[in-house]
Amino acid sequence: MQNKGLIKLFALLFGLVSIYQLSYTFITSKVEKEAQVFAASRISESEADHISKRETLAASYLDSIGGNSVFGYTNYNEAKKKELNKGLDLKGGINVTLQISVKDILKGLANNTKNPVFNKALADADALSKDSDDTYVELFFEAFDKIKGETKLASPDIFANKALSEEVNFQMADDAVKPVIRKKIDESIVSAFEVLRERIDGFGVTQPNIQREGNSGRILVELPGARDIARAQSLLSSTAQLEFWETYKQGNPSFNNFLISANEKLKTIVDIKKPEPEVIESEIDSLLSDVAADSLDLASQVNPLYDLLIPANPGTNAMFRAAIKDTAQLGAYLRMPEIRRLLPADIQFTKFVWERPTSEEVEVIDLYALKSNRDATPRISGDVVSDARDDFDQFNKPAVSMTMNTKGAKLWEKLTGDAYSNQTGIAIVLDNKVYTAPGVSTGPITGGRSEITGNFTINETKDISNVLRAGKLPASAEIIQSEIVGPSLGQEAIDSGFMSFLIAMAIVLLWMIAYYGKAGAFADIALLLNILLIFGVLTSLNAVLTLPGIAGIVLTIGMSVDANVLIFERIKEELAKGKGKSQAVSDGFGNALSSILDANITTGLTAIILFVFGSGPIKGFATTLLIGILTSLFTAIFITRLLVDWYLSGKGRTLDFSTGATKNLFKNISINFLGKRKIAYVISAILVGVGLFSLFFGAGLQQGVDFVGGRSYQVRFEQQVNPSEIASELNAVFGSGTNVKTYGESNQIKITTPYKVDIEGIEVDTEIQEKLFTALQKYLPDGISQQDFNVGSNEASIGILQSVKVGPTIADDIKNNAFLAILGSLAVVFLYILIRFRKWQFSLGAVVAVFHDVLIVLGIFSLLGKIMPFNMEIDQAFIAAILTVIGYSLNDTVVVFDRIREIIAERGWNKGENVNSAINSTLGRTLNTSLTTLVVLLAIFIFGGESLRGFMFAMIIGVIVGTYSSVFIATPVMFDTLKKKILSGKADTIIKDSKEKE
């Protein structure tokens, strides 16, 4: 081997850099454990809310020592930025895909036009978007072109408005306007991306991840370690639409007249039954009883409005009050066109807005009547705010201080002057909720400084000031996909993932020594270096380690052994020919190189496709697999060679590449594989046929929420529960279609429901969690609260451990991407093998074998999907398993094909006899690698955690079937399609030409 010194230097430097990179992870882990110990020593478990108190104290401790030197070359703050990133499934937190509303952006660009053609095109684009992969703006253009008639995009009341006057004029044709609009939309999405980035930076989560997904208007946000999930969701989806309005005065007679008219009108258009009298027990009942006592004439009959409204507290600027449970109904009444028409002329444009509830315990909130206009625009918008910061008011309560620009200061002076003169209030509205509505007691306020007060927590004032500084989103952002993992489940994933990792590695290390003796020990050293390099590269690239990523590393352990097995088996063959040790080693490494490269390239190609089409944890799996392939090639080819050469260079040293038990294993085997191909065809046809029958006429596949949309919840209880019993109860709550099954242990279930899957918004998520809590409360420990039950709320392992939501639109996209990934993988591999072996028969054999493997795996999942005691849903992880199976099957097939090509080039086909010789010569490698990989997969299957079991089961079946198909399907199909040429002697030339061209 040439340049041994350079390789040694490179390996040393590569190893040292990896250790250096990983040292930061070691430092942060050490310091954080010290912080946890410190917090635990100061706060007893007997204290109320001790977990959050400990977290706060630990965070303060880390802040205080963050700049202190550690080991003389770094500190905690610096190390935290460079540590190995842990994914959501290992750390807990929230992962969401936000859809920026392009529809909102278009409406904003058109200045909220009332043009009927424009608005009809928007409505048509909404309908088209449900069944199309095209972007919303293209669907809008398509819809507009169909109905536009004489209307142009450059009409004065569409895009040729004042705001776009510099880029769009009246004379422009539609085709000239479209690029401008596309550019503006792209700018708005970039703006939304930057706004979200600013907000996330102020949220306080370490190692957040935010990515824009192409031109789709989707933004992926991952916040590992986020504990306050509700706060994170609100931060991400709120538009931060800050507005300042003048309120109407309490007791305005026009509103009294309106209420009487509206109440009478509602009696004729709504069907309301008089509720039974209730025992007065709460604040709401007390308030309603006061209203009833003062209005006996109204209480004796059904009054749709008066039965729900409560008089506002005197001295406030609210118009009425109501129970929170009634706000949705009241809002619906007040939005009815028939009711809006009853507003007197002096208040006809009134905007009704509810107060923001200050806590979960609040039962009654205020309703404000705001002075508005025909266009419903506020007196002042949030775009005049130049700065905002969290502060404390005169009573030392958390507040938000704002500074306005020059324009805002003038408007603020005018608004405060009007409010002072009219003795009204100024409502400060953020995202359509009134935060505060103070009066003005000292005349107009100059300077543009103002303050938002209310019953805030410090975190709330931080978030409000954060979003105001970052600015408002240019359009609404809906959460169309989310995954929330509780901290306890994340810790369990770490424990199970590393347990499987250690067990798999120990088995492989021992097996290599047991099979190859001292040579196996050298392979083990290379393997350990390989693991170090994988983690070092992951840290250097700021890649995220996920549970599937750990599975990818463990699989790499099994597959990286393959290269050493190929090399050692070839060296044994060279030794059997009577060559000296050094020559045998040199020839063995040289002859094995072609097979090693072919096998790893085919696996690498499938990993690249998986990386391109996958998302989230699946991308993590592909990343570690790709890194593992590269590092294992380096360590197997170069490091093992260095160690073997070093050992053989010593005097009197021998290296047999086997042990007493394995010396003659697989030696002199002569199985007529081709002669048995017809039996194999029949067996495969039966297996594939049964699978296809089950897929199309039997149980079929259980599609997960990734593919059909919906919400799923992993819930754990203290005691064993009956999933059938819970399913019947939840179907009564959510309607039919809710599925409940045991997930791992008997005290753990997975609930999947399509309930309101097509409705976006945090409100729906909250509603479902509340209904789940109510329905499951009797199975939970006494005293557990809704907050304790919700995912991510605390460290407890009871309640919702994980939740996943996938909207129907993104579910279709995931399904399409999965289909494209599989087809793309097959196409790429077909082309690679065609280029490599110069004959389509080899490509056909490989692709037929892969199709055979995939169909059998799908068939087994269809047949056993409802029988197996673990999750066998078809989701993104399953697609990752299928693609890995494709890569592994091709790995095996290419090694066999490579040996066939080599032997045929030397000896000819000999009517197919030499094909059998080639298969027999690779049998030791095939079985050794397959068994090693299977043992590794079984270790992950048993110890790797429930979420990986279906994934691993698919790969275990795939490895078994892939090993079989490379010998009994791929090679026979290749042989049968070349049979005429083989028998005529023409095929020999093909193989020889192929070898000469390399």
Side-chain angles (χ1 to χ4, degrees):
M1 183 173 64
Q2 302 293 323
N3 300 317
K4 287 184 181 180
L6 186 63
I7 292 169
K8 287 178 184 177
L9 178 64
F10 183 74
L12 178 64
L13 293 175
F14 204 175
L16 289 174
V17 169
S18 296
I19 292 170
Y20 172 76
Q21 291 290 348
L22 288 171
S23 69
Y24 292 110
T25 304
F26 170 77
I27 289 168
T28 55
S29 177
K30 173 180 175 292
V31 175
E32 284 168 3
K33 281 181 182 177
E34 291 171 356
Q36 290 169 4
V37 170
F38 172 79
S41 68
R42 296 292 190 278
I43 297 172
S44 168
E45 286 188 4
S46 60
E47 288 190 33
D49 199 20
H50 72 277
I51 292 175
S52 61
K53 288 180 180 177
R54 283 181 177 180
E55 286 178 357
T56 303
L57 185 58
S60 298
Y61 174 87
L62 292 172
D63 284 341
S64 66
I65 56 92
N68 295 351
S69 177
V70 180
F71 297 148
Y73 70 92
T74 189
N75 56 52
Y76 172 77
N77 292 338
E78 287 299 316
K80 192 68 181 171
K81 296 174 185 176
K82 299 177 182 178
E83 72 171 345
L84 177 63
N85 298 334
K86 297 187 190 75
L88 193 72
D89 48 5
L90 295 179
K91 201 172 182 179
I94 180 171
N95 176 319
V96 303
T97 300
L98 295 163
Q99 177 69 65
I100 303 299
S101 174
V102 177
K103 179 180 180 179
D104 285 357
I105 298 172
L106 284 167
K107 289 166 73 174
L109 291 172
N111 205 21
N112 294 310
T113 180
K114 302 291 193 297
N115 185 289
V117 176
F118 176 87
N119 287 298
K120 176 67 167 60
L122 288 177
D124 291 347
D126 287 340
L128 290 170
S129 65
K130 294 177 181 177
D131 301 306
S132 174
D133 292 331
D134 290 340
T135 60
Y136 188 91
V137 67
E138 298 306 325
L139 294 174
F140 165 75
F141 289 149
E142 179 186 330
F144 186 87
D145 288 342
K146 285 181 180 177
I147 64 171
K148 65 181 181 179
E150 298 298 319
T151 308
K152 294 170 60 181
L153 290 172
S155 298
D157 60 344
I158 302 183
F159 293 127
N161 53 48
K162 185 178 179 181
L164 294 175
S165 59
E166 293 184 5
E167 294 169 272
V168 179
N169 58 60
F170 308 143
Q171 288 78 36
M172 289 174 70
D174 285 354
D175 287 343
V177 176
K178 288 176 183 178
V180 176
I181 301 306
R182 290 190 190 100
K183 178 187 170 189
K184 288 293 181 184
I185 287 172
D186 189 65
E187 288 173 354
S188 295
I189 293 170
V190 170
S191 172
F193 181 85
E194 294 303 325
V195 167
L196 287 169
R197 185 196 295 280
E198 288 287 330
R199 292 186 187 181
I200 290 165
D201 287 345
F203 185 67
V205 174
T206 57
Q207 301 168 334
N209 177 34
I210 176 168
Q211 299 173 14
R212 184 181 169 192
E213 296 190 347
N215 297 316
S216 62
R218 290 176 185 165
I219 295 173
L220 173 69
V221 178
E222 186 171 78
L223 303 175
R227 298 297 177 89
D228 192 340
I229 301 301
R231 178 186 169 203
Q233 288 176 318
S234 175
L235 183 78
L236 294 173
S237 59
S238 64
T239 58
Q241 191 76 32
L242 179 66
E243 300 168 340
F244 300 87
W245 303 78
E246 187 181 356
T247 66
Y248 281 105
K249 201 169 184 177
Q250 203 177 93
N252 187 310
S254 294
F255 282 99
N256 293 331
N257 295 334
F258 163 67
L259 284 183
I260 294 170
S261 303
N263 190 62
E264 293 303 315
K265 183 68 174 178
L266 283 168
K267 288 180 184 180
T268 65
I269 58 178
V270 298
D271 181 22
I272 300 178
K273 294 180 180 178
K274 183 69 177 176
E276 295 294 325
E278 296 180 3
V279 177
I280 297 172
E281 294 179 345
S282 68
E283 175 193 0
I284 298 172
D285 300 318
S286 176
L287 289 164
L288 291 175
S289 69
D290 292 343
V291 176
D294 293 341
S295 311
L296 293 175
D297 56 327
L298 290 172
S300 62
Q301 53 186 297
V302 175
N303 295 287
L305 277 183
Y306 287 113
D307 286 342
L308 302 180
L309 286 172
I310 303 166
N313 287 335
T316 68
N317 289 304
M319 191 60 68
F320 307 102
R321 307 187 81 199
I324 289 180
K325 63 182 178 65
D326 296 328
T327 54
Q329 185 63 67
L330 276 168
Y333 288 161
L334 294 173
R335 286 191 297 272
M336 286 181 177
E338 308 96 306
I339 302 303
R340 293 287 305 180
R341 281 194 288 269
L342 299 175
L343 283 164
D346 60 324
I347 60 169
Q348 64 174 316
F349 299 121
T350 299
K351 180 181 175 73
F352 292 105
V353 181
W354 292 103
E355 173 193 18
R356 163 191 166 273
T358 54
S359 71
E360 291 184 0
E361 289 73 31
V362 170
E363 295 179 306
V364 180
I365 58 174
D366 289 331
L367 176 65
Y368 290 85
L370 310 182
K371 293 183 180 181
S372 186
N373 50 42
R374 187 182 300 276
D375 297 322
T377 54
R379 292 281 296 270
I380 305 176
S381 295
D383 53 6
V384 302
V385 175
S386 58
D387 190 26
R389 59 188 176 86
D390 55 301
D391 205 343
F392 293 91
D393 64 14
Q394 58 182 333
F395 304 107
N396 205 33
K397 291 183 178 180
V400 177
S401 296
M402 294 181 298
T403 304
M404 298 180 182
N405 59 25
T406 304
K407 175 188 173 184
K410 291 178 180 178
L411 292 172
W412 182 244
E413 184 176 356
K414 178 71 169 67
L415 176 58
T416 52
D418 291 345
Y420 176 74
S421 302
N422 301 329
Q423 291 299 294
T424 53
I426 296 175
I428 300 177
V429 181
L430 185 63
D431 286 340
N432 215 37
K433 291 281 189 295
V434 175
Y435 274 65
T436 184
V440 180
S441 56
T442 58
I445 301 173
T446 58
R449 293 185 62 83
S450 56
E451 189 175 67
I452 304 177
T453 59
N455 292 319
F456 296 127
T457 65
I458 292 175
N459 274 343
E460 284 173 333
T461 57
K462 285 181 183 295
D463 288 348
I464 293 169
S465 59
N466 181 15
V467 295
L468 292 180
R469 277 196 308 274
K472 68 178 182 180
L473 288 172
S476 61
E478 296 290 355
I479 297 175
I480 58 172
Q481 181 183 16
S482 69
E483 181 180 6
I484 302 168
V485 180
S488 63
L489 190 63
Q491 187 58 50
E492 289 174 17
I494 292 174
D495 296 340
S496 60
F498 279 99
M499 174 66 74
S500 67
F501 173 79
L502 293 173
I503 291 172
M505 191 163 69
I507 291 171
V508 170
L509 294 176
L510 292 172
W511 172 253
M512 289 300 288
I513 293 173
Y515 198 93
Y516 291 109
K518 292 177 183 175
F522 296 146
D524 288 347
I525 293 170
L527 179 59
L528 291 170
L529 177 62
N530 183 27
I531 301 302
L532 173 66
L533 298 183
I534 290 173
F535 280 105
V537 172
L538 280 171
T539 308
S540 301
L541 296 177
N542 285 323
V544 178
L545 182 65
T546 61
L547 191 55
I550 292 175
I553 294 172
V554 177
L555 181 62
T556 300
I557 295 172
M559 294 181 68
S560 65
V561 170
D562 182 46
N564 281 313
V565 170
L566 278 169
I567 291 166
F568 291 167
E569 291 298 322
R570 292 307 295 260
I571 292 173
K572 285 162 69 175
E573 288 178 19
E574 301 302 325
L575 289 170
K577 293 176 183 177
K579 294 183 179 180
K581 294 282 186 184
S582 297
Q583 188 62 43
V585 167
S586 178
D587 291 349
F589 272 91
N591 292 333
L593 186 60
S594 174
S595 296
I596 292 170
L597 290 175
D598 282 339
N600 281 278
I601 287 170
T602 49
T603 306
L605 288 172
T606 57
I608 289 170
I609 290 168
L610 189 58
F611 181 84
V612 171
F613 288 98
S615 61
I618 304 308
K619 241 184 178 68
F621 173 76
T623 301
T624 53
L625 194 57
L626 281 168
I627 293 170
I629 288 169
L630 294 173
T631 56
S632 63
L633 277 172
F634 170 71
T635 54
I637 294 171
F638 296 110
I639 303 304
T640 307
R641 179 71 184 275
L642 280 174
L643 292 170
V644 169
D645 284 350
W646 162 79
Y647 186 80
L648 289 176
S649 65
K651 289 184 179 180
R653 292 176 181 172
T654 60
L655 202 58
D656 295 327
F657 297 93
S658 61
T659 61
T662 61
K663 189 171 184 178
N664 295 313
L665 208 57
F666 302 112
K667 197 172 182 180
N668 299 322
I669 290 177
S670 182
I671 301 171
N672 184 6
F673 289 100
L674 288 181
K676 296 174 174 57
R677 69 186 185 279
K678 291 182 180 178
I679 298 171
Y681 286 162
V682 172
I683 293 170
S684 292
I686 291 170
L687 289 173
V688 171
V690 170
L692 288 172
F693 181 84
S694 178
L695 282 168
F696 292 106
F697 304 105
L701 297 169
Q702 302 178 63
Q703 296 188 65
V705 292
D706 282 5
F707 288 170
V708 295
R711 290 175 174 83
S712 71
Y713 300 88
Q714 183 180 336
V715 186
R716 185 180 292 166
F717 305 88
E718 271 191 331
Q719 307 295 329
Q720 178 179 337
V721 291
N722 184 335
S724 300
E725 179 184 325
I726 292 175
S728 62
E729 293 179 8
L730 292 180
N731 273 302
V733 175
F734 297 120
S736 61
T738 299
N739 181 34
V740 180
K741 57 188 174 186
T742 302
Y743 193 74
E745 302 296 329
S746 58
N747 67 330
Q748 194 165 271
I749 59 174
K750 186 174 185 179
I751 301 165
T752 305
T753 177
Y755 179 73
K756 291 190 177 181
V757 64
D758 54 346
I759 301 175
E760 308 294 353
I762 299 171
E763 296 79 9
V764 180
D765 297 333
T766 304
E767 176 195 345
I768 293 175
Q769 288 196 353
E770 287 174 352
K771 288 187 173 183
L772 273 178
F773 176 66
T774 303
L776 300 176
Q777 196 164 16
K778 65 182 180 182
Y779 302 102
L780 297 166
D782 293 338
I784 191 169
S785 66
Q786 172 81 58
Q787 184 177 0
D788 294 332
F789 175 78
N790 288 351
V791 62
S793 297
N794 53 47
E795 299 284 356
S797 55
I798 301 296
I800 301 176
L801 302 181
Q802 180 178 23
S803 73
V804 176
K805 170 201 167 185
V806 181
T809 304
I810 200 167
D812 288 340
D813 291 349
I814 291 170
K815 192 184 295 184
N816 292 336
N817 280 346
F819 182 72
L820 290 172
I822 292 174
L823 284 185
S825 179
L826 292 173
V828 166
V829 167
F830 183 93
L831 289 172
Y832 178 77
I833 295 178
L834 182 62
I835 293 167
R836 201 70 182 85
F837 294 94
R838 305 290 199 279
K839 204 63 185 168
W840 62 265
Q841 287 89 344
F842 283 90
S843 291
L844 180 65
V847 172
V848 167
V850 166
F851 263 113
H852 163 274
D853 300 345
V854 169
L855 288 174
I856 288 179
V857 173
L858 290 173
I860 288 174
F861 264 65
S862 174
L863 288 165
L864 304 180
K866 295 183 179 177
I867 299 173
M868 288 297 189
F870 50 84
N871 179 41
M872 291 184 69
E873 289 180 349
I874 307 303
D875 53 17
Q876 289 190 85
F878 177 80
I879 298 303
I882 289 293
L883 287 171
T884 309
V885 165
I886 290 173
Y888 187 87
S889 177
L890 288 164
N891 185 316
D892 256 1
T893 301
V894 166
V895 168
V896 174
F897 280 180
D898 206 60
R899 182 57 67 89
I900 290 171
R901 181 178 58 170
E902 181 183 339
I903 288 179
I904 298 305
E906 292 174 0
R907 310 176 205 167
W909 289 92
N910 192 21
K911 297 184 179 180
E913 286 303 315
N914 286 332
V915 173
N916 283 324
S917 298
I919 298 174
N920 281 300
S921 68
T922 61
L923 196 59
R925 171 265 162 199
T926 299
L927 293 179
N928 203 339
T929 299
S930 296
L931 287 172
T932 306
T933 307
L934 272 175
V935 168
V936 167
L937 294 176
L938 283 169
I940 311 174
F941 179 79
I942 296 168
F943 301 103
E946 186 62 33
S947 62
L948 285 175
R949 288 216 167 91
F951 177 45
M952 286 296 111
F953 184 73
M955 291 183 63
I956 288 168
I957 300 299
V959 167
I960 294 170
V961 177
T963 303
Y964 160 83
S965 69
S966 64
V967 175
F968 289 104
I969 301 297
T971 304
V973 167
M974 176 274 296
F975 178 79
D976 283 338
T977 51
L978 271 172
K979 192 173 181 181
K980 287 184 180 179
K981 291 183 179 180
I982 290 171
L983 295 176
S984 67
K986 293 180 181 178
D988 291 351
T989 309
I990 295 166
I991 292 294
K992 287 176 182 175
D993 288 347
S994 171
K995 289 291 286 184
E996 288 168 4
K997 288 177 183 177
E998 290 182 14

